Amino acid sequence: MTILEEIPLARPVLGEAEEQAVLDVLRSGQLSLGPRVPAFEQAFAARIGGVHASAVSSGTAGLHLGLRAVGVEEGDEVVTSPFSFVASANAVLYERARPVFADIDPVTLNLDPVAAAAAITERTRALLPVHIFGYPADVPALEAHGLPIVEDACEALGAVHGDGVAVGARGNPAAFGFYANKQLTTGEGGMLVMGSGEHKVRVDSERNQGRAPDMGWLDHDRLGFNYRLSDLACAIGLAQLDRLDDMLAARAQVAGWYRAALARLASERGLVLPCEDFGGDRRGWFVFVVQLPLGVDRDATIMALREVGVQSKPYLPAIHLMSLYRELYGHRPGEFPVAEEVAERSVALPFFPELSESQVTRVAEALERVLTAA
Ligand SMILES: Cc1ncc(COP(=O)(O)O)c(C=O)c1O
């Protein structure tokens, strides 16, 4: 029997440029609070078309500081999506505010603007749309409410709204994430992009223990956090930015191969593929998540794929049904039926820029065999 090489879920593209960038920082002796931080911020803001950017230790840290910047406080409500990575709702809890969930659109899997509008009350302080799986959320529709918006763009680098504005460049604080599976990685890290100079001053202070820019080493005029990103990470980020176009193009190509390879399972067996771009929106490809045909046992499918060397995982569980959120707010199944059904059927397949066409074929054939046997 031939032992096939295992196909991982994700793998970053790192090369000599990143190695050299790290070496340069090590040799400079300035590992933090050095020149690579503003250099990465400015290059990232320019790339997105945003005005200001603050490098932070994670996407979650960016969301937290973004929510604080728009004034979210204890007792406030923030309307958001239950179909997201848990960090987007957790960031609201950090401020003792309440994430109020609204159901998602069954096609884009993003917050449904009509459901979001219905969830707004007099206590709503902000809206927190998530550009899930890199597909642009309908932020223009949400902007009509005149409430502050904080965007979770952690999965959406490279995405563009239908009106031509890049995701993250609308002026609302928008958090990007640089964990190792993301379109651009610094290992761990994030960037908050924003239009307001006042927000930038506040965020820069709060990521650095509440220190004001013109103050001495130990003078802190507000509560802050240690959400800094190191020069080592920023140097890697700068090298990654140089290859971003190629990495995004490679991801889009892999997605195209998957679409072709899975077309028959989609049309004949009820496998649901990620939605195609429409209305001028452009996805920034992050993951390739399919919804299994109704009635198929997901755990068994994932196990069967693993046996033939294909990694996959459930992605994502609905946040409101996690134990913490059930305990805090008494959430129960049935509240957000679209999000719940999608969450139960979704599986992430291997997806990264260097995935080859033959590996995509192997994944598709393995899935076809498993679903035919099911
Ligand atoms: C939708 C979403 N929000 C928030 C985050 C949090 O980002 P980080 O892991 O960098 O804190 C992630 C990334 O994992 C994410 O996918």
Side-chain angles (χ1 to χ4, degrees), residues 228-290:
R228 295 185 304 265
L229 192 62
S230 73
D231 273 53
L232 284 164
C234 289
I236 297 173
L238 280 164
Q240 288 266 290
L241 265 185
D242 284 342
R243 54 166 100 240
L244 182 61
D245 283 330
D246 289 344
M247 293 192 296
L248 289 173
R251 279 183 188 266
Q253 185 176 47
V254 173
W257 291 333
Y258 263 126
R259 234 183 239 302
L262 296 172
R264 199 151 52 87
L265 276 181
S267 63
E268 292 176 13
R269 298 298 304 268
L271 183 80
V272 180
L273 305 183
C275 74
E276 304 237 24
D277 292 351
F278 65 96
D281 287 340
R282 267 188 284 143
R283 189 192 293 267
W285 278 101
F286 166 56
V287 279
F288 200 90
V289 172
V290 294

Short mmCIF file of all heavy atoms in Angstrom, two decimals, residues 228-290:
data_model
loop_
_atom_site.label_atom_id
_atom_site.label_comp_id
_atom_site.label_asym_id
_atom_site.label_seq_id
_atom_site.Cartn_x
_atom_site.Cartn_y
_atom_site.Cartn_z
N ARG A 228 1.30 45.20 22.55
CA ARG A 228 2.28 45.62 21.53
C ARG A 228 2.64 44.46 20.60
O ARG A 228 2.58 43.30 20.98
CB ARG A 228 3.55 46.13 22.21
CG ARG A 228 3.37 47.40 23.03
CD ARG A 228 4.71 47.89 23.54
NE ARG A 228 5.41 46.87 24.30
CZ ARG A 228 5.36 46.76 25.63
NH1 ARG A 228 4.64 47.60 26.34
NH2 ARG A 228 6.03 45.80 26.24
N LEU A 229 3.07 44.82 19.39
CA LEU A 229 3.63 43.83 18.47
C LEU A 229 5.13 44.11 18.36
O LEU A 229 5.54 45.28 18.24
CB LEU A 229 2.96 43.97 17.09
CG LEU A 229 3.21 42.83 16.09
CD1 LEU A 229 2.68 41.49 16.61
CD2 LEU A 229 2.58 43.13 14.73
N SER A 230 5.95 43.07 18.41
CA SER A 230 7.41 43.27 18.45
C SER A 230 7.96 43.69 17.08
O SER A 230 7.32 43.48 16.04
CB SER A 230 8.10 41.99 18.89
OG SER A 230 8.04 41.04 17.83
N ASP A 231 9.17 44.22 17.08
CA ASP A 231 9.83 44.56 15.81
C ASP A 231 10.12 43.31 14.99
O ASP A 231 10.13 43.35 13.75
CB ASP A 231 11.14 45.31 16.07
CG ASP A 231 10.88 46.79 16.20
OD1 ASP A 231 10.00 47.15 17.02
OD2 ASP A 231 11.50 47.58 15.45
N LEU A 232 10.38 42.19 15.69
CA LEU A 232 10.60 40.94 14.97
C LEU A 232 9.37 40.59 14.14
O LEU A 232 9.46 40.26 12.96
CB LEU A 232 10.88 39.80 15.96
CG LEU A 232 12.27 39.79 16.59
CD1 LEU A 232 12.29 38.89 17.81
CD2 LEU A 232 13.29 39.34 15.55
N ALA A 233 8.20 40.67 14.79
CA ALA A 233 6.95 40.34 14.09
C ALA A 233 6.69 41.34 12.97
O ALA A 233 6.27 40.95 11.87
CB ALA A 233 5.79 40.32 15.09
N CYS A 234 6.92 42.63 13.24
CA CYS A 234 6.65 43.64 12.21
C CYS A 234 7.58 43.47 11.01
O CYS A 234 7.18 43.70 9.86
CB CYS A 234 6.78 45.06 12.80
SG CYS A 234 5.43 45.45 13.93
N ALA A 235 8.81 43.04 11.26
CA ALA A 235 9.75 42.81 10.15
C ALA A 235 9.24 41.66 9.28
O ALA A 235 9.30 41.73 8.05
CB ALA A 235 11.14 42.49 10.70
N ILE A 236 8.74 40.61 9.92
CA ILE A 236 8.17 39.50 9.14
C ILE A 236 6.96 40.02 8.35
O ILE A 236 6.78 39.69 7.17
CB ILE A 236 7.75 38.33 10.06
CG1 ILE A 236 8.97 37.75 10.77
CG2 ILE A 236 7.04 37.23 9.26
CD1 ILE A 236 8.63 36.69 11.83
N GLY A 237 6.15 40.85 9.00
CA GLY A 237 4.96 41.40 8.35
C GLY A 237 5.33 42.21 7.11
O GLY A 237 4.65 42.12 6.07
N LEU A 238 6.40 42.98 7.20
CA LEU A 238 6.83 43.79 6.04
C LEU A 238 7.26 42.87 4.89
O LEU A 238 6.92 43.13 3.73
CB LEU A 238 8.00 44.70 6.45
CG LEU A 238 7.58 45.98 7.19
CD1 LEU A 238 8.78 46.62 7.89
CD2 LEU A 238 6.94 46.98 6.22
N ALA A 239 7.98 41.82 5.22
CA ALA A 239 8.41 40.87 4.17
C ALA A 239 7.18 40.17 3.56
O ALA A 239 7.12 39.95 2.34
CB ALA A 239 9.38 39.85 4.75
N GLN A 240 6.22 39.85 4.41
CA GLN A 240 5.00 39.20 3.91
C GLN A 240 4.19 40.14 3.02
O GLN A 240 3.58 39.69 2.04
CB GLN A 240 4.14 38.75 5.10
CG GLN A 240 4.73 37.56 5.84
CD GLN A 240 4.15 36.24 5.33
OE1 GLN A 240 2.99 35.93 5.55
NE2 GLN A 240 4.98 35.49 4.63
N LEU A 241 4.17 41.43 3.36
CA LEU A 241 3.43 42.38 2.53
C LEU A 241 3.98 42.40 1.10
O LEU A 241 3.23 42.54 0.14
CB LEU A 241 3.55 43.79 3.12
CG LEU A 241 2.46 44.31 4.04
CD1 LEU A 241 2.73 45.77 4.41
CD2 LEU A 241 1.07 44.18 3.41
N ASP A 242 5.31 42.26 0.99
CA ASP A 242 5.93 42.27 -0.34
C ASP A 242 5.45 41.10 -1.20
O ASP A 242 5.47 41.19 -2.42
CB ASP A 242 7.46 42.16 -0.22
CG ASP A 242 8.08 43.49 0.20
OD1 ASP A 242 7.40 44.52 0.07
OD2 ASP A 242 9.24 43.47 0.67
N ARG A 243 5.08 39.99 -0.56
CA ARG A 243 4.64 38.85 -1.36
C ARG A 243 3.12 38.65 -1.29
O ARG A 243 2.61 37.61 -1.73
CB ARG A 243 5.36 37.57 -0.97
CG ARG A 243 5.31 37.19 0.48
CD ARG A 243 5.76 35.74 0.74
NE ARG A 243 7.13 35.60 1.20
CZ ARG A 243 8.06 34.92 0.54
NH1 ARG A 243 7.77 34.31 -0.57
NH2 ARG A 243 9.28 34.82 1.03
N LEU A 244 2.41 39.66 -0.73
CA LEU A 244 0.97 39.48 -0.50
C LEU A 244 0.20 39.24 -1.80
O LEU A 244 -0.66 38.35 -1.86
CB LEU A 244 0.40 40.68 0.27
CG LEU A 244 -1.08 40.58 0.60
CD1 LEU A 244 -1.39 39.37 1.48
CD2 LEU A 244 -1.57 41.86 1.29
N ASP A 245 0.50 40.03 -2.83
CA ASP A 245 -0.26 39.88 -4.09
C ASP A 245 -0.13 38.45 -4.62
O ASP A 245 -1.12 37.85 -5.04
CB ASP A 245 0.23 40.87 -5.15
CG ASP A 245 -0.29 42.27 -4.86
OD1 ASP A 245 -1.39 42.38 -4.28
OD2 ASP A 245 0.40 43.24 -5.21
N ASP A 246 1.09 37.93 -4.58
CA ASP A 246 1.31 36.57 -5.09
C ASP A 246 0.56 35.55 -4.22
O ASP A 246 -0.03 34.60 -4.74
CB ASP A 246 2.80 36.21 -5.07
CG ASP A 246 3.56 36.97 -6.14
OD1 ASP A 246 2.91 37.52 -7.04
OD2 ASP A 246 4.81 37.03 -6.05
N MET A 247 0.61 35.75 -2.90
CA MET A 247 -0.05 34.78 -2.01
C MET A 247 -1.57 34.82 -2.20
O MET A 247 -2.23 33.78 -2.20
CB MET A 247 0.32 35.06 -0.54
CG MET A 247 1.78 34.80 -0.23
SD MET A 247 2.16 34.78 1.54
CE MET A 247 1.78 36.45 2.03
N LEU A 248 -2.12 36.03 -2.37
CA LEU A 248 -3.57 36.14 -2.57
C LEU A 248 -3.98 35.51 -3.90
O LEU A 248 -4.99 34.81 -3.99
CB LEU A 248 -4.02 37.60 -2.52
CG LEU A 248 -3.98 38.29 -1.15
CD1 LEU A 248 -4.28 39.78 -1.29
CD2 LEU A 248 -4.95 37.64 -0.16
N ALA A 249 -3.15 35.75 -4.92
CA ALA A 249 -3.47 35.19 -6.24
C ALA A 249 -3.41 33.66 -6.19
O ALA A 249 -4.25 32.97 -6.77
CB ALA A 249 -2.50 35.73 -7.29
N ALA A 250 -2.43 33.13 -5.46
CA ALA A 250 -2.30 31.68 -5.35
C ALA A 250 -3.50 31.10 -4.61
O ALA A 250 -4.05 30.05 -4.99
CB ALA A 250 -1.00 31.31 -4.64
N ARG A 251 -3.96 31.77 -3.55
CA ARG A 251 -5.15 31.29 -2.82
C ARG A 251 -6.36 31.27 -3.75
O ARG A 251 -7.16 30.32 -3.74
CB ARG A 251 -5.43 32.20 -1.62
CG ARG A 251 -4.57 31.89 -0.41
CD ARG A 251 -4.97 32.79 0.77
NE ARG A 251 -4.05 32.65 1.88
CZ ARG A 251 -4.23 31.83 2.91
NH1 ARG A 251 -5.32 31.10 3.00
NH2 ARG A 251 -3.33 31.75 3.86
N ALA A 252 -6.52 32.34 -4.54
CA ALA A 252 -7.68 32.41 -5.45
C ALA A 252 -7.61 31.28 -6.47
O ALA A 252 -8.63 30.68 -6.83
CB ALA A 252 -7.73 33.78 -6.13
N GLN A 253 -6.38 30.97 -6.92
CA GLN A 253 -6.23 29.88 -7.90
C GLN A 253 -6.61 28.53 -7.28
O GLN A 253 -7.32 27.73 -7.88
CB GLN A 253 -4.79 29.83 -8.39
CG GLN A 253 -4.58 28.81 -9.48
CD GLN A 253 -3.17 28.85 -10.03
OE1 GLN A 253 -2.20 28.87 -9.29
NE2 GLN A 253 -3.06 28.87 -11.35
N VAL A 254 -6.17 28.31 -6.03
CA VAL A 254 -6.51 27.06 -5.35
C VAL A 254 -8.04 26.95 -5.20
O VAL A 254 -8.63 25.90 -5.41
CB VAL A 254 -5.81 26.97 -3.97
CG1 VAL A 254 -6.30 25.75 -3.20
CG2 VAL A 254 -4.29 26.91 -4.15
N ALA A 255 -8.67 28.08 -4.86
CA ALA A 255 -10.14 28.08 -4.71
C ALA A 255 -10.80 27.71 -6.03
O ALA A 255 -11.79 26.95 -6.06
CB ALA A 255 -10.62 29.45 -4.24
N GLY A 256 -10.25 28.21 -7.13
CA GLY A 256 -10.80 27.88 -8.46
C GLY A 256 -10.68 26.38 -8.75
O GLY A 256 -11.61 25.77 -9.28
N TRP A 257 -9.53 25.80 -8.38
CA TRP A 257 -9.36 24.35 -8.60
C TRP A 257 -10.38 23.56 -7.79
O TRP A 257 -10.97 22.60 -8.26
CB TRP A 257 -7.95 23.92 -8.17
CG TRP A 257 -6.85 24.42 -9.06
CD1 TRP A 257 -6.94 24.74 -10.39
CD2 TRP A 257 -5.48 24.66 -8.68
NE1 TRP A 257 -5.71 25.17 -10.86
CE2 TRP A 257 -4.79 25.11 -9.83
CE3 TRP A 257 -4.76 24.53 -7.49
CZ2 TRP A 257 -3.44 25.44 -9.82
CZ3 TRP A 257 -3.42 24.85 -7.47
CH2 TRP A 257 -2.76 25.29 -8.63
N TYR A 258 -10.57 24.00 -6.52
CA TYR A 258 -11.56 23.31 -5.68
C TYR A 258 -12.95 23.40 -6.30
O TYR A 258 -13.71 22.44 -6.33
CB TYR A 258 -11.61 23.94 -4.29
CG TYR A 258 -10.77 23.23 -3.24
CD1 TYR A 258 -9.82 23.94 -2.50
CD2 TYR A 258 -10.95 21.87 -2.96
CE1 TYR A 258 -9.06 23.30 -1.53
CE2 TYR A 258 -10.20 21.24 -1.99
CZ TYR A 258 -9.25 21.94 -1.27
OH TYR A 258 -8.51 21.31 -0.32
N ARG A 259 -13.31 24.59 -6.76
CA ARG A 259 -14.66 24.79 -7.33
C ARG A 259 -14.90 23.82 -8.48
O ARG A 259 -15.96 23.20 -8.58
CB ARG A 259 -14.78 26.23 -7.83
CG ARG A 259 -15.94 26.95 -7.27
CD ARG A 259 -16.07 28.32 -7.85
NE ARG A 259 -15.99 29.34 -6.81
CZ ARG A 259 -16.79 29.42 -5.77
NH1 ARG A 259 -17.74 28.54 -5.58
NH2 ARG A 259 -16.65 30.38 -4.88
N ALA A 260 -13.89 23.71 -9.34
CA ALA A 260 -14.03 22.81 -10.50
C ALA A 260 -14.08 21.35 -10.03
O ALA A 260 -14.92 20.56 -10.48
CB ALA A 260 -12.88 23.03 -11.47
N ALA A 261 -13.21 21.01 -9.09
CA ALA A 261 -13.10 19.60 -8.67
C ALA A 261 -14.33 19.15 -7.88
O ALA A 261 -14.64 17.95 -7.85
CB ALA A 261 -11.84 19.42 -7.83
N LEU A 262 -15.02 20.09 -7.25
CA LEU A 262 -16.16 19.72 -6.40
C LEU A 262 -17.51 20.03 -7.07
O LEU A 262 -18.56 19.85 -6.45
CB LEU A 262 -16.08 20.45 -5.05
CG LEU A 262 -14.86 20.09 -4.18
CD1 LEU A 262 -14.78 21.01 -2.96
CD2 LEU A 262 -14.94 18.63 -3.70
N ALA A 263 -17.46 20.49 -8.32
CA ALA A 263 -18.70 20.95 -8.99
C ALA A 263 -19.76 19.85 -9.03
O ALA A 263 -20.94 20.10 -8.80
CB ALA A 263 -18.38 21.45 -10.40
N ARG A 264 -19.32 18.61 -9.32
CA ARG A 264 -20.31 17.52 -9.46
C ARG A 264 -20.94 17.20 -8.10
O ARG A 264 -22.16 17.00 -8.00
CB ARG A 264 -19.65 16.28 -10.06
CG ARG A 264 -20.63 15.29 -10.65
CD ARG A 264 -20.02 14.51 -11.80
NE ARG A 264 -18.73 13.91 -11.39
CZ ARG A 264 -18.63 12.72 -10.80
NH1 ARG A 264 -19.71 12.02 -10.56
NH2 ARG A 264 -17.45 12.23 -10.47
N LEU A 265 -20.11 17.17 -7.05
CA LEU A 265 -20.67 16.91 -5.71
C LEU A 265 -21.66 18.00 -5.33
O LEU A 265 -22.65 17.75 -4.64
CB LEU A 265 -19.55 16.87 -4.66
CG LEU A 265 -18.80 15.55 -4.48
CD1 LEU A 265 -17.75 15.69 -3.40
CD2 LEU A 265 -19.77 14.43 -4.12
N ALA A 266 -21.40 19.22 -5.81
CA ALA A 266 -22.29 20.34 -5.49
C ALA A 266 -23.61 20.19 -6.24
O ALA A 266 -24.69 20.31 -5.66
CB ALA A 266 -21.61 21.66 -5.83
N SER A 267 -23.53 19.88 -7.55
CA SER A 267 -24.78 19.86 -8.32
C SER A 267 -25.58 18.58 -8.08
O SER A 267 -26.80 18.60 -8.11
CB SER A 267 -24.49 20.05 -9.81
OG SER A 267 -23.71 18.98 -10.27
N GLU A 268 -24.87 17.47 -7.83
CA GLU A 268 -25.61 16.20 -7.72
C GLU A 268 -25.85 15.71 -6.31
O GLU A 268 -26.75 14.94 -6.05
CB GLU A 268 -24.86 15.09 -8.51
CG GLU A 268 -24.88 15.34 -9.99
CD GLU A 268 -24.06 14.31 -10.75
OE1 GLU A 268 -23.68 13.29 -10.17
OE2 GLU A 268 -23.79 14.57 -11.95
N ARG A 269 -24.98 16.14 -5.36
CA ARG A 269 -25.07 15.56 -4.02
C ARG A 269 -25.43 16.57 -2.93
O ARG A 269 -25.50 16.22 -1.76
CB ARG A 269 -23.75 14.87 -3.64
CG ARG A 269 -23.37 13.70 -4.53
CD ARG A 269 -24.40 12.55 -4.47
NE ARG A 269 -24.61 12.09 -3.10
CZ ARG A 269 -23.95 11.12 -2.51
NH1 ARG A 269 -23.05 10.45 -3.18
NH2 ARG A 269 -24.20 10.77 -1.26
N GLY A 270 -25.60 17.84 -3.31
CA GLY A 270 -26.01 18.83 -2.32
C GLY A 270 -24.89 19.37 -1.44
O GLY A 270 -25.14 19.92 -0.37
N LEU A 271 -23.63 19.20 -1.91
CA LEU A 271 -22.52 19.84 -1.20
C LEU A 271 -22.60 21.34 -1.48
O LEU A 271 -22.79 21.74 -2.63
CB LEU A 271 -21.18 19.27 -1.71
CG LEU A 271 -19.93 19.80 -1.01
CD1 LEU A 271 -19.73 19.06 0.32
CD2 LEU A 271 -18.69 19.60 -1.90
N VAL A 272 -22.48 22.18 -0.45
CA VAL A 272 -22.58 23.63 -0.67
C VAL A 272 -21.17 24.22 -0.65
O VAL A 272 -20.42 24.05 0.31
CB VAL A 272 -23.45 24.31 0.42
CG1 VAL A 272 -23.52 25.81 0.18
CG2 VAL A 272 -24.85 23.69 0.44
N LEU A 273 -20.82 24.90 -1.75
CA LEU A 273 -19.50 25.53 -1.87
C LEU A 273 -19.57 26.98 -1.40
O LEU A 273 -20.66 27.56 -1.32
CB LEU A 273 -19.05 25.48 -3.34
CG LEU A 273 -19.02 24.10 -4.00
CD1 LEU A 273 -18.47 24.21 -5.42
CD2 LEU A 273 -18.17 23.13 -3.17
N PRO A 274 -18.42 27.60 -1.09
CA PRO A 274 -18.44 29.02 -0.72
C PRO A 274 -19.08 29.84 -1.84
O PRO A 274 -18.88 29.51 -3.02
CB PRO A 274 -16.94 29.37 -0.59
CG PRO A 274 -16.22 28.09 -0.48
CD PRO A 274 -17.07 27.04 -1.14
N CYS A 275 -19.82 30.88 -1.50
CA CYS A 275 -20.54 31.63 -2.54
C CYS A 275 -19.55 32.29 -3.49
O CYS A 275 -18.43 32.64 -3.11
CB CYS A 275 -21.50 32.66 -1.93
SG CYS A 275 -20.72 34.12 -1.24
N GLU A 276 -19.99 32.45 -4.72
CA GLU A 276 -19.18 33.18 -5.71
C GLU A 276 -19.31 34.67 -5.41
O GLU A 276 -20.32 35.11 -4.84
CB GLU A 276 -19.72 32.90 -7.12
CG GLU A 276 -19.78 31.44 -7.45
CD GLU A 276 -18.98 31.09 -8.70
OE1 GLU A 276 -18.05 31.85 -9.04
OE2 GLU A 276 -19.29 30.06 -9.30
N ASP A 277 -18.34 35.45 -5.85
CA ASP A 277 -18.42 36.91 -5.70
C ASP A 277 -19.63 37.43 -6.47
O ASP A 277 -19.92 36.95 -7.57
CB ASP A 277 -17.16 37.56 -6.27
CG ASP A 277 -15.91 37.24 -5.44
OD1 ASP A 277 -16.06 36.66 -4.35
OD2 ASP A 277 -14.81 37.59 -5.88
N PHE A 278 -20.35 38.38 -5.91
CA PHE A 278 -21.45 39.00 -6.64
C PHE A 278 -21.58 40.47 -6.21
O PHE A 278 -21.05 40.87 -5.17
CB PHE A 278 -22.78 38.24 -6.43
CG PHE A 278 -23.28 38.30 -4.99
CD1 PHE A 278 -24.22 39.26 -4.61
CD2 PHE A 278 -22.82 37.41 -4.04
CE1 PHE A 278 -24.68 39.31 -3.30
CE2 PHE A 278 -23.27 37.46 -2.72
CZ PHE A 278 -24.21 38.42 -2.37
N GLY A 279 -22.29 41.25 -7.04
CA GLY A 279 -22.53 42.66 -6.72
C GLY A 279 -21.25 43.48 -6.62
O GLY A 279 -21.22 44.51 -5.95
N GLY A 280 -20.20 43.01 -7.27
CA GLY A 280 -18.93 43.77 -7.22
C GLY A 280 -18.07 43.43 -6.01
O GLY A 280 -16.91 43.83 -5.93
N ASP A 281 -18.63 42.68 -5.03
CA ASP A 281 -17.83 42.26 -3.87
C ASP A 281 -16.73 41.32 -4.34
O ASP A 281 -16.95 40.51 -5.25
CB ASP A 281 -18.69 41.48 -2.86
CG ASP A 281 -19.65 42.36 -2.10
OD1 ASP A 281 -19.42 43.59 -2.04
OD2 ASP A 281 -20.63 41.82 -1.55
N ARG A 282 -15.57 41.41 -3.69
CA ARG A 282 -14.50 40.44 -3.98
C ARG A 282 -14.01 39.81 -2.70
O ARG A 282 -13.67 40.52 -1.73
CB ARG A 282 -13.34 41.13 -4.70
CG ARG A 282 -13.49 41.03 -6.21
CD ARG A 282 -12.27 41.53 -6.92
NE ARG A 282 -12.21 42.99 -6.89
CZ ARG A 282 -11.09 43.69 -6.76
NH1 ARG A 282 -9.93 43.08 -6.63
NH2 ARG A 282 -11.13 45.00 -6.75
N ARG A 283 -14.01 38.48 -2.66
CA ARG A 283 -13.55 37.77 -1.47
C ARG A 283 -12.03 37.82 -1.40
O ARG A 283 -11.34 37.71 -2.41
CB ARG A 283 -14.00 36.31 -1.56
CG ARG A 283 -13.77 35.52 -0.28
CD ARG A 283 -13.97 34.02 -0.53
NE ARG A 283 -15.34 33.65 -0.83
CZ ARG A 283 -16.23 33.25 0.10
NH1 ARG A 283 -15.89 33.20 1.36
NH2 ARG A 283 -17.45 32.91 -0.27
N GLY A 284 -11.50 37.96 -0.20
CA GLY A 284 -10.06 37.77 0.03
C GLY A 284 -9.94 36.34 0.55
O GLY A 284 -10.24 36.08 1.71
N TRP A 285 -9.51 35.41 -0.30
CA TRP A 285 -9.60 33.98 0.05
C TRP A 285 -8.81 33.65 1.29
O TRP A 285 -7.61 33.91 1.37
CB TRP A 285 -9.16 33.11 -1.12
CG TRP A 285 -10.27 32.94 -2.11
CD1 TRP A 285 -10.43 33.61 -3.29
CD2 TRP A 285 -11.41 32.06 -1.97
NE1 TRP A 285 -11.59 33.20 -3.91
CE2 TRP A 285 -12.21 32.25 -3.13
CE3 TRP A 285 -11.82 31.15 -1.00
CZ2 TRP A 285 -13.40 31.56 -3.33
CZ3 TRP A 285 -13.00 30.45 -1.21
CH2 TRP A 285 -13.78 30.67 -2.36
N PHE A 286 -9.48 33.04 2.27
CA PHE A 286 -8.83 32.68 3.54
C PHE A 286 -8.90 31.18 3.79
O PHE A 286 -7.90 30.54 4.07
CB PHE A 286 -9.49 33.46 4.68
CG PHE A 286 -9.14 32.94 6.05
CD1 PHE A 286 -7.82 32.83 6.46
CD2 PHE A 286 -10.13 32.55 6.95
CE1 PHE A 286 -7.48 32.33 7.71
CE2 PHE A 286 -9.81 32.06 8.20
CZ PHE A 286 -8.48 31.95 8.58
N VAL A 287 -10.11 30.62 3.71
CA VAL A 287 -10.31 29.19 3.93
C VAL A 287 -11.25 28.68 2.83
O VAL A 287 -11.97 29.46 2.22
CB VAL A 287 -10.99 28.90 5.30
CG1 VAL A 287 -9.99 28.94 6.43
CG2 VAL A 287 -12.15 29.85 5.54
N PHE A 288 -11.23 27.38 2.61
CA PHE A 288 -12.23 26.80 1.70
C PHE A 288 -13.12 25.92 2.55
O PHE A 288 -12.75 24.81 2.93
CB PHE A 288 -11.58 26.02 0.55
CG PHE A 288 -12.50 25.85 -0.62
CD1 PHE A 288 -12.53 26.79 -1.64
CD2 PHE A 288 -13.38 24.78 -0.68
CE1 PHE A 288 -13.41 26.65 -2.72
CE2 PHE A 288 -14.27 24.64 -1.74
CZ PHE A 288 -14.27 25.58 -2.77
N VAL A 289 -14.29 26.48 2.90
CA VAL A 289 -15.22 25.78 3.80
C VAL A 289 -16.43 25.34 2.99
O VAL A 289 -17.06 26.15 2.31
CB VAL A 289 -15.66 26.71 4.96
CG1 VAL A 289 -16.76 26.06 5.78
CG2 VAL A 289 -14.46 27.03 5.85
N VAL A 290 -16.73 24.04 3.08
CA VAL A 290 -17.92 23.51 2.38
C VAL A 290 -18.96 23.12 3.43
O VAL A 290 -18.61 22.84 4.58
CB VAL A 290 -17.57 22.28 1.53
CG1 VAL A 290 -16.64 22.67 0.39
CG2 VAL A 290 -16.96 21.16 2.37
#
